[in-house]
Amino acid sequence: MATLTDSRKRELRRELETIVGPDAVLSDPDELLVYESDGLTLFRALADFVVFPTSTEHVSAVVKLANRERLPFVARGAGTGLSGGCLPAEGGVVISLMRMNRVLEVDYDNQLAVVEPGLVNLHLSWKVGPRGYYYAPDPSSQQACTIGGNIANNSGGPHTLKYGVTTNHVLGLQVVMPDGEIVWLGGRTRDAQGYDLAGVFVGSEGTFGIATKIVVRILKKPQAVKTVLAVFDQIDRASAAVSAVIARGLVPAAMEMIDHLTIQAVEDAFNCGYPRDADAALLIELDGLAVGMEGQLERIVEACRDAGARETRTAKSESERQLLWKGRKSAFGAYGRVSPAYMVMDGVIPRTKLPYVLSRVNEIVAAHGLRVGNVFHAGDGNLHPNILYDPRKPGEEERVVAAGAEIMKVCAEVGGSISGEHGIGLEKSDFMPFIFSAADLTLMQRLKNAFNPTGLCNPGKIFPTKKSCVEVGPVAYRPHAIEEKGLAQRF
Amino acid sequence: MSTPTHTSAPAPAGVLNLHGLSVDGVNQCVHCGLCLAYCPTFSELGTEMDSPRGRIFTIKSLAEGRMSLTDSVAQHLSLCLDCRACETVCPAGVPYGRLIEAAKVEIERQQPGALPRRLFRWLNFGLLLGHPRLLRLAAAGARLYQTSGLQQLVRRSGLVKLLPGTLPAWEALLPSVPSKAERTPPPRTTLADGPRRARVAMLTGCIQAVVFGAHNRATARVLARNGCDVLVPEGQRCCGALNAHGGDHARALAMARQTIDAFEAVAADFVIVNVSGCGAHMKAYGHLLADDPAYAERAKRFAATVRDLAEFLAQEPLRGPLQPVTMTCTYHDPCHVVHGQKIKSEPRRLLAQIPGLRLVELPESDWCCGSAGIYNLTQPEMATRLLHRKVGHVLETSAEAVVTANPGCILQIQAGLGAHQSPVRVLHLVEILDRAYGGGE
Amino acid sequence: MPGALREKLSAAVGPANVLTGIELSPYVVEGRTPDAAVFPGSIDEVAAVVGLAANEGVPVTPWGGGAAASVGMPAARAGLVLGLRRMSRLLEHEPADLTATVEAGMTMGAFQAALGGRGQWMSLDPADADRATVGGVLATNAFGPRRHLYGAARDLLIGVTVVTADGAVVRGGGKVVKNVAGYDLPKLFVGSYGTLGVIVEATVKLRPLPDHEQLQAVRFERLKDTGVAVKAIMGSDLIPSAIELLDAAAASSAGLAADTPAGGAVLVVGFDGPREQVAWQCAELARILVPLGGQQTRTLEAEAWSRLAAAPGTARPATAAVMTFSVVPSLVAETMDRGAGIARARGLHSAWAAHAGVGAVRAVLASDAAPHEPAAIATVLGEWREMARAGGGHATLAWAPLAVKSRIPVWDDPGAAGRIMQRIKSQLDPGNILNPGRFIAGI
């Protein structure tokens, strides 16, 4: 991509201003610098412009302008992402959706809401809460992250265990396609016609277009909720408790693990009530009907005790419960108390492999001379090792990156995945071959070609940069198995 | 073109500072962004530069020399309300208030501005706030302006629009200054009613003393009814909070020393403050004067005795008998009470004890109303947007009165409700308590 | 079919697994006979077969149990039926991980039986479980009553292996319950009717089998009143596993309530979980429904589940067409009521059933006249479709004779999204050999 000349930049700025208005374009270097990172500061990249559309038509016009100029563009929400997914990796235009943050409609009869992408996740639950509803996907950053960003990353959260991730709650999307065309994918009904384009769009990390209206399901709040904290002197026992609960045929709404180091950080932050001397704690939540809940709770407590829990305590009030959750959900930020920077990993493994992988994680990080805090969705097997480091110390970042790659390899080796909810973005694109073959990536690239043939929409993400196998274009010839066996030949 | 890098962050090792003030706290920020949705300016604008995370990043970049203090950078930093809502939600414990104040000092140092601005600052920070007598004199002048009909003339004639810079906003907010009798300070000493609980000293404040003298007298009565010997130290002036928030560091230090001197003289158990900004600031004297060998220890000791009025009273049940105050009210949390001092449940617990009073929650009760010290004068546009938002929420509640605990909030919300011709009144918490004790003058 | 291709196919999968001639009769759809039916025994063999077909430009129709073989337009050109019945093993089941990996040709019934032996199930209950295969169910997005609580195939499929049109073996998703690495290929293949690739293996999320399950049937005098009843259930604290609504004709043919008056309806609600929760919910259900006109609440036997899944499929012997609708839940009762009226006005019979909470409505249309009058049938179907569209929904002609299909499109118009679907198809199957012409937007 050619660098824009100053005069060209001024002209384009004027053009962008005519689309979105003069107070909705940034091009001043100081202002652009503030947009150099998302929630993962390991990666930095500068845009030429940041624009703030307030309508689908604005977004479409900006995208068409970018196409005309062959400028890359990328949508950005709150910028709380943890994989560099909304960074302008190749310059161009950042399309901030923070001024499109309205709840457009709530249809309680059909238990759905139509929202704009810049709406803060939690604000939707606030909006429908008084009528007894909520929006189920609850990423830990839900107090700040936007639903548009959740769409891009197919975000999860603690309650994924019972309620599924973002994609399970999205019915339809109005999308500005990478060429600027405005299209509806899915709609208000449960099934769309033809291919499940909404399903394919969710989790495409902003490479298939920009969602400007989103139809999501809202759920009735459960009649009753019980939250238990199980405390362990050995983290392995906590891992065993996770399997023990599942083995008894119980599916809690959430089952979260918090290790010793993380407990220190969150206790420093908010005095949430986690015992500081524990090696690990499990935060387990049950929800549903009030009738019979005590019985289920007892079975969970029993499973934890049998697995070696030192103690279990049930939150006695809503405020006590909220405080435990505040600690859990603020954990990443709370690492600021114990370290100037961290890199959060996001691996997924089969639940049964938890003890093995956790010990491997600790070994790997220690071998690199670093510290790690673990706070994660144990019930889903979705690990979040947070490697702590000091970016001012020479060489630490490189060691963090190396340790991260090794951890990802371990997750892949046990049949897991390299991302459960944070996305691949820039961070993990080179790890994709750990779990996907060249053929897998080729098919993904073809799918991308169908949506984003020019590649201008959020370039540089997801696909590995080191190999040419994923370049746009016809797939290289590979012999079939039968050809190799000599059963057939190509002519 | 820039590309993502794995290179080391451009940060030198060692303590970061701006103009000699430590901003090392920026390193506690891990860029998680959990603060974003709680920042009033970010919520209004959606621009990262106007968010806590963006401002911390900016301050860090200034200290590291990655950014220079251009007009645009200064404007984004100045747009911060210093409401500290971000501190309340920050899991990393970034000392945001300290950082933004350091940044504002740096702005003043580098960009003192043109003569009228400097004159305005000197008049307010240097002269009026520091000299109670002059302030009273100015108040008398303001009252003359208002009662003589001159104010109406200026407003009607459109002359107000000719005032330079932010003065039109100043003029609109100019509180109706009460008469001299109403400005009477509380007695030097008020003895406890009933068994003695504590010996307390009261801050009467600078502007508070002039505009809301009645609140101070009510505070003394309510404290006495709750078993306090109430002393009003002589020689107290402004606590220096407005100077500190406005970037006037040197004078803020001098005022802090003077305040400590004045209160040490009466040797009270607690220093009670009924103005949120002052309370939060005085609790931070220990940090402010940490580098002053003569005052460092004294400042720490002093700060430990400072209590917000509600914080102090809510430690014990209100002493009876309490008369009914029949009204529906809602409570607005002043930023420097709820965020600056983390006091949220206390005022509500006090109100709940008053018979006949029904308290309804105010949506976004802990959001800044736009007053924020002198913010409504320096950033009238954003202040108006936030006031609009606040007034909208107040009107949603159908309350008859908004109760709060800070003169700035009272004036601001009053002005906002006035613009809507709303009959909803704005009261200081102590007015309600005083009424329950059959007080009033 | 060129003899050379047949030989190569025989070489690839073994001669016994290539059927031709009279043996093809089970694979005749709408009177069209394929060139051959091929039954590979492994993923490599599937890849080989597809690769051979791709080389020759011969169409391929993936075939599980044939349960949905007549959905959509028949292939424009004859070609190969690619049968997956030999690939029917349960490959992995780790109960503690709540996941299982299965070959696509295993029937749903066999799969559930194997899982059930270890206290778990795949929470999807489409009709015809003994015939429908896992691959077929996924490819056609089939579902049953319990979709209400447990979601559809898209919510359960976490990993998929497909053989694409160029004979490549591609894996999407994985074996873990949460995974956002790369594009969500499982979503792409669910409901794609074999037009993008042949599903050969699937990894799905499982759930523990509930301790107890119960079905409550409540009769209503008027179908119209049930809209309010369904809304009341959905707005309550109840957590039903199914909310089934059947009009009188469907209820009677499903043997649920033969005495339901014409114009009336039966609402069937399922609950599962610990026994005390099920009992509480059944009582609460009656408390909610009786004031709304619900009568004669009774408990159905467990065997009724499968009849609900199939309803109203066998409502009339002289079925002329089956249409499925996706509408918002609040319009389900109205859709059924108005739809029946539209048919009556044209002198035709209809029977209606719905998974009411998810807005999935199914109707059969029948005529006493023999042979049916395709034009009249098509007219009613067209009006039904318009009715669904007017409410923001859509309708698919799930089954009809070719004479009807030639008058009214099987699939509704997907609008601008259709162009994206066409682009996906041409990217993934540029030679257009996988089920050509069968699906939406000419795909």
Side-chain angles (χ1 to χ4, degrees):
Chain A
M1 194 196 83
T3 308
L4 292 171
T5 63
D6 284 350
S7 65
R8 188 73 195 122
K9 221 175 151 172
R10 276 195 298 278
E11 285 165 27
L12 287 174
R13 183 184 162 103
R14 272 194 297 277
E15 253 194 280
L16 287 166
E17 284 178 351
T18 59
I19 297 169
V20 292
D23 64 343
V25 182
L26 304 179
S27 59
D28 183 88
D30 293 327
E31 296 177 326
L32 297 173
L33 191 63
V34 178
Y35 281 86
E36 71 170 4
S37 287
D38 58 9
L40 174 72
T41 51
L42 203 58
F43 291 87
R44 293 182 288 278
L46 282 183
D48 295 304
F49 303 97
V50 182
V51 299
F52 298 85
T54 53
S55 70
T56 303
E57 289 68 30
H58 281 174
V59 176
S60 169
V62 170
V63 166
K64 283 179 178 159
L65 176 66
N67 270 281
R68 189 196 72 196
E69 296 294 320
R70 315 294 300 158
L71 275 176
F73 55 93
V74 53
R76 178 176 170 120
T80 54
L82 292 163
S83 64
C86 67
L87 260 55
E90 294 172 16
V93 186
V94 167
I95 300 175
S96 168
L97 296 159
M98 294 310 288
R99 291 184 187 172
M100 293 176 70
N101 58 0
R102 291 171 300 169
V103 176
L104 298 172
E105 185 198 339
V106 182
D107 178 349
Y108 290 100
D109 283 351
N110 291 306
Q111 304 189 345
L112 61 86
V114 186
V115 304
E116 290 185 319
L119 180 70
V120 170
N121 172 301
L122 187 58
H123 294 186
L124 177 55
S125 287
W126 285 351
K127 169 86 181 174
V128 301
R131 294 276 301 265
Y133 287 84
Y134 74 112
Y135 176 60
D138 62 338
S140 293
S141 57
Q142 71 176 139
Q143 67 184 61
C145 65
T146 64
I147 292 189
N150 296 167
I151 296 290
N153 291 299
N154 189 16
S155 305
H159 291 78
T160 295
L161 182 56
K162 180 168 176 183
Y163 293 102
V165 291
T166 299
T167 191
N168 305 110
H169 298 268
V170 174
L171 296 172
L173 309 132
Q174 184 192 50
V175 170
V176 172
M177 293 292 288
D179 63 0
E181 188 188 7
I182 299 167
V183 179
W184 268 96
L185 312 179
R188 300 165 74 100
T189 57
R190 289 297 167 87
D191 287 315
Q193 308 177 73
Y195 301 138
D196 182 3
L197 297 183
V200 171
F201 187 91
V202 175
S204 60
E205 302 198 28
T207 63
F208 286 179
I210 300 172
T212 51
K213 290 192 178 95
I214 302 156
V215 187
V216 294
R217 295 173 60 192
I218 51 173
L219 304 187
K220 278 280 294 177
K221 285 187 202 166
Q223 195 182 41
V225 180
K226 288 275 181 196
T227 307
V228 190
L229 187 71
V231 183
F232 297 85
D233 286 330
Q234 287 173 29
I235 197 165
D236 276 2
R237 292 186 177 166
S239 300
V242 173
S243 294
V245 169
I246 301 280
R248 290 180 196 215
L250 299 162
V251 182
M255 193 149 44
E256 301 285 301
M257 177 134 29
I258 305 178
D259 76 356
H260 179 77
L261 191 151
T262 311
I263 287 174
Q264 310 312 311
V266 300
E267 284 302 305
D268 284 351
F270 296 119
N271 285 317
C272 303
Y274 292 95
R276 283 184 183 265
D277 62 338
D279 195 41
L282 282 179
L283 184 63
I284 306 175
E285 188 154 286
L286 271 178
D287 68 13
L289 299 171
V291 165
M293 182 160 285
E294 281 301 328
Q296 287 178 306
L297 190 71
E298 276 164 30
R299 287 168 68 191
I300 284 181
V301 166
E302 198 181 88
C304 290
R305 286 263 162 80
D306 289 355
R310 170 179 102 191
E311 68 166 301
T312 57
R313 47 171 111 139
T314 309
K316 285 175 201 68
S317 64
E318 179 58 19
S319 60
E320 199 178 320
R321 170 180 172 259
Q322 290 290 353
L323 202 54
L324 286 170
W325 276 112
K326 186 176 185 181
R328 163 60 189 94
K329 293 200 170 185
S330 305
F332 290 177
Y335 288 124
R337 306 254 173 186
V338 291
S339 171
Y342 65 90
M343 183 164 86
V344 50
M345 310 304 298
D346 174 38
V348 197
I349 55 166
R351 285 168 264 240
T352 44
K353 303 287 197 299
L354 261 179
Y356 167 72
V357 175
L358 277 181
S359 68
R360 285 290 294 130
V361 165
N362 289 331
E363 284 167 23
I364 289 167
V365 175
H368 285 274
L370 296 162
R371 289 187 299 160
V372 63
N374 286 291
V375 53
F376 61 97
H377 313 303
D380 289 321
N382 187 181
L383 300 180
H384 291 316
N386 293 269
I387 307 176
L388 310 182
Y389 70 101
D390 187 342
R392 295 165 298 182
K393 291 188 184 156
E396 283 220 343
E397 274 189 355
E398 287 77 359
R399 299 212 307 276
V400 170
V401 171
E406 286 178 43
I407 291 171
M408 289 293 103
K409 273 213 173 92
V410 171
C411 292
E413 280 162 16
V414 299
S417 171
I418 58 173
S419 181
E421 52 187 9
H422 296 171
I424 298 301
L426 285 172
E427 181 208 359
K428 279 173 290 204
S429 57
D430 286 337
F431 303 158
M432 286 287 273
F434 292 178
I435 55 171
F436 292 115
S437 70
D440 304 342
L441 292 170
T442 299
L443 187 135
M444 289 186 201
Q445 183 62 52
R446 288 176 172 180
L447 185 57
K448 180 176 168 183
N449 291 350
F451 281 87
N452 181 13
T454 63
L456 288 173
C457 186
N458 202 10
K461 310 294 163 61
I462 301 177
F463 293 95
T465 51
K466 288 175 181 162
K467 296 188 72 179
S468 60
C469 67
V470 294
E471 285 306 309
V472 180
V475 185
Y477 165 76
R478 287 172 296 133
H480 267 293
I482 52 160
E483 291 176 71
E484 286 169 348
K485 285 182 200 159
L487 297 169
Q489 321 174 235
R490 275 178 205 257
F491 295 103
Chain B
M1 189 187 88
S2 77
T3 47
T5 62
H6 280 97
T7 59
S8 304
V15 174
L16 279 183
N17 65 68
L18 272 181
H19 187 43
L21 296 174
S22 166
V23 292
D24 207 37
V26 293
N27 286 318
Q28 267 171 267
C29 175
V30 289
H31 224 251
C32 70
L34 292 194
C35 52
L36 294 169
Y38 296 85
C39 174
T41 55
F42 181 71
S43 292
E44 287 294 320
L45 300 174
T47 37
E48 182 82 15
M49 310 80 65
D50 302 303
S51 74
R53 181 174 71 175
R55 292 190 184 108
I56 293 166
F57 179 89
T58 299
I59 293 167
K60 187 176 182 197
S61 302
L62 284 171
E64 291 171 353
R66 289 184 82 198
M67 245 186 227
S68 54
L69 194 59
T70 60
D71 287 349
S72 115
V73 171
Q75 168 57 18
H76 290 305
L77 292 171
S78 302
L79 199 60
C80 173
L81 294 147
D82 197 6
C83 72
R84 297 163 70 182
C86 50
E87 273 189 23
T88 298
V89 294
C90 177
V94 176
Y96 182 82
R98 264 196 270 151
L99 299 177
I100 196 71
E101 281 178 15
K104 286 185 177 177
V105 171
E106 179 69 4
I107 293 172
E108 283 314 315
R109 193 180 70 84
Q110 289 195 29
Q111 304 188 331
L115 192 64
R117 185 167 183 280
R118 275 184 283 172
L119 198 64
F120 172 86
R121 290 176 59 82
W122 172 78
L123 183 72
N124 285 291
F125 291 160
L127 211 57
L128 295 180
L129 294 181
H131 301 86
R133 272 201 207 152
L134 288 178
L135 189 63
R136 281 198 291 274
L137 201 62
R143 182 165 163 79
L144 185 67
Y145 169 71
Q146 289 168 336
T147 53
S148 66
L150 187 60
Q151 181 176 46
Q152 278 184 307
L153 186 71
V154 167
R155 285 184 179 178
R156 262 204 309 262
S157 65
L159 274 175
V160 66
K161 295 193 188 101
L162 299 178
L163 293 171
T166 58
L167 277 181
W170 224 141
E171 203 282 341
L173 274 162
L174 192 62
S176 48
V177 178
S179 70
K180 190 170 178 194
E182 290 168 53
R183 280 183 267 143
T184 315
R188 289 265 164 257
T189 310
T190 310
L191 291 180
D193 200 351
R196 210 180 80 144
R197 169 175 166 189
R199 174 182 160 89
V200 304
M202 244 184 85
L203 178 85
T204 49
C206 43
I207 295 172
Q208 168 84 348
V210 170
V211 183
F212 293 117
H215 295 173
N216 283 342
R217 295 193 298 277
T219 302
R221 283 193 295 270
V222 169
L223 284 167
R225 289 296 290 267
N226 283 278
C228 297
D229 288 341
V230 186
L231 311 169
V232 178
E234 271 183 276
Q236 60 168 307
R237 296 187 179 179
C238 172
C239 70
L242 287 175
N243 299 66
H245 300 160
D248 184 16
H249 188 62
R251 265 193 291 256
L253 292 178
M255 288 168 155
R257 291 188 196 102
Q258 202 168 34
T259 305
I260 292 170
D261 292 344
F263 279 82
E264 277 181 349
V266 300
D269 303 331
F270 298 105
V271 175
I272 305 296
V273 187
N274 62 8
V275 179
S276 66
C278 307
H281 183 62
M282 288 159 69
K283 285 180 177 179
Y285 274 0
H287 176 76
L288 190 70
L289 291 168
D291 296 334
D292 180 338
Y295 275 86
E297 268 311 305
R298 290 165 63 192
K300 253 202 251 173
R301 268 202 310 276
F302 172 84
T305 64
V306 177
R307 298 284 184 280
D308 177 76
L309 175 68
E311 176 188 21
F312 177 78
L313 287 176
Q315 284 173 340
E316 291 180 16
L318 287 174
R319 291 193 188 172
L322 291 161
Q323 298 171 16
V325 179
T326 310
M327 67 160 63
T328 300
C329 59
T330 189
Y331 184 79
H332 159 75
D333 293 284
C335 300
H336 285 235
V337 173
V338 66
H339 303 304
Q341 303 177 63
K342 312 287 179 234
I343 295 169
K344 184 150 191 173
S345 67
E346 290 86 343
R348 290 169 175 79
R349 293 206 316 261
L350 292 173
L351 288 169
Q353 295 174 57
I354 296 175
L357 187 140
R358 194 168 79 93
L359 184 67
V360 291
E361 267 304 314
L362 177 67
E364 295 185 349
S365 69
D366 57 359
W367 278 57
C368 182
C369 61
S371 162
I374 54 166
Y375 187 88
N376 47 7
L377 308 177
T378 57
Q379 303 285 347
E381 195 192 327
M382 178 56 71
T384 304
R385 285 172 79 156
L386 296 174
L387 177 58
H388 230 75
R389 189 165 173 146
K390 180 62 68 181
V391 167
H393 288 317
V394 169
L395 296 178
E396 270 172 47
T397 62
S398 72
E400 297 157 68
V402 186
V403 180
T404 185
N406 186 47
C409 304
I410 294 176
L411 291 174
Q412 174 84 345
I413 298 174
Q414 240 165 21
L417 288 165
H420 279 75
Q421 271 95 45
S422 162
V424 177
R425 301 165 57 205
V426 189
L427 300 171
H428 195 291
L429 173 68
V430 78
E431 290 182 84
I432 298 265
L433 296 174
D434 191 38
R435 206 180 293 180
Y437 283 114
E441 294 163 352
Chain C
M1 183 177 67
L5 174 59
R6 195 165 125 190
E7 278 169 34
K8 286 176 193 164
L9 289 170
S10 294
V13 301
N17 297 311
V18 180
L19 305 183
T20 53
I22 191 69
E23 298 167 319
L24 289 172
S25 63
Y27 307 99
V28 175
V29 177
E30 318 272 16
R32 301 190 187 192
T33 308
D35 293 336
V38 190
F39 298 88
S42 67
I43 292 177
D44 281 350
E45 288 184 8
V46 175
V49 171
V50 175
L52 287 167
N55 281 350
E56 305 282 344
V58 173
V60 173
T61 299
W63 190 287
S70 59
V71 180
M73 294 302 284
R77 295 170 284 152
L80 302 179
V81 160
L82 196 162
L84 291 149
R85 69 181 181 205
R86 291 176 63 212
M87 296 175 64
S88 59
R89 290 171 302 163
L90 173 56
L91 299 173
E92 271 182 61
H93 175 207
E94 175 50 75
D97 286 332
L98 287 174
T99 57
T101 300
V102 57
E103 288 185 325
M106 190 173 204
T107 65
M108 281 300 284
F111 184 40
Q112 299 286 25
L115 299 172
R118 301 171 81 176
Q120 297 185 342
W121 70 306
M122 177 185 177
S123 54
L124 192 65
D125 58 349
D128 236 351
D130 293 331
R131 184 171 169 217
T133 59
V134 173
V137 163
L138 296 173
T140 59
N141 186 28
F143 51 87
R146 295 177 185 88
R147 177 178 180 178
H148 179 77
L149 184 59
Y150 296 114
R154 76 190 295 276
D155 302 306
L156 303 175
L157 182 67
I158 56 176
V160 67
T161 305
V162 293
V163 172
T164 53
D166 56 353
V169 178
V170 170
R171 291 189 169 80
K175 290 187 173 175
V176 283
V177 293
K178 207 171 162 190
N179 187 356
V180 298
Y183 298 133
D184 195 341
L185 299 183
K187 298 281 184 299
L188 181 64
F189 289 99
V190 166
S192 65
Y193 278 84
T195 59
L196 298 177
V198 183
I199 298 175
V200 289
E201 270 180 30
T203 302
V204 297
K205 281 206 252 194
L206 305 178
R207 287 193 162 86
L209 279 169
D211 300 348
H212 187 62
E213 201 166 35
Q214 194 162 323
L215 272 175
Q216 297 293 100
V218 186
R219 216 186 75 182
F220 284 80
E221 289 293 318
R222 295 191 313 167
L223 174 59
K224 280 179 193 161
D225 298 340
T226 56
V228 177
V230 171
K231 189 175 142 185
I233 295 170
M234 289 178 63
S236 73
D237 280 338
L238 296 177
I239 309 173
S241 57
I243 305 179
E244 300 291 292
L245 183 58
L246 299 93
D247 74 355
S252 134
S253 76
L256 293 175
D259 57 344
T260 306
V266 176
L267 187 58
V268 183
V269 184
F271 298 108
D272 66 20
R275 192 172 287 272
E276 57 187 322
Q277 287 189 347
V278 172
W280 181 84
Q281 294 197 85
C282 290
E284 183 71 4
L285 179 74
R287 197 187 65 74
I288 292 170
L289 294 186
V290 167
L292 300 175
Q295 302 167 359
Q296 297 176 13
T297 302
R298 64 198 178 90
T299 302
L300 302 181
E301 68 284 21
E303 182 267 335
W305 281 106
S306 60
R307 281 181 283 145
L308 289 169
T314 53
R316 293 211 154 242
T319 298
V322 178
M323 195 162 233
T324 59
F325 303 82
S326 191
V327 298
V328 290
S330 63
L331 289 179
V332 165
E334 188 187 329
T335 298
M336 294 167 68
D337 197 47
R338 282 184 52 207
I342 288 169
R344 258 196 318 277
R346 302 270 169 191
L348 297 171
H349 302 290
S350 64
W352 294 74
H355 308 307
V358 295
V361 182
R362 290 146 297 143
V364 300
L365 188 60
S367 142
D368 289 338
H372 303 309
E373 179 49 67
I377 300 280
T379 303
V380 170
L381 294 172
E383 290 178 20
W384 282 359
R385 175 167 281 162
E386 275 316 304
M387 169 181 69
R389 291 176 69 95
H394 55 88
T396 301
L397 184 50
W399 181 85
L402 264 184
V404 173
K405 286 186 187 177
S406 63
R407 285 179 163 81
I408 175 165
V410 168
W411 312 95
D412 211 338
D413 174 13
R419 286 197 293 282
I420 304 171
M421 295 178 199
Q422 287 160 349
R423 294 208 293 264
I424 294 173
K425 171 72 172 176
S426 66
Q427 282 286 330
L428 267 61
D429 181 14
N432 196 21
I433 62 155
L434 294 170
N435 265 338
R438 181 172 175 183
F439 199 42
I440 198 165
I443 292 165

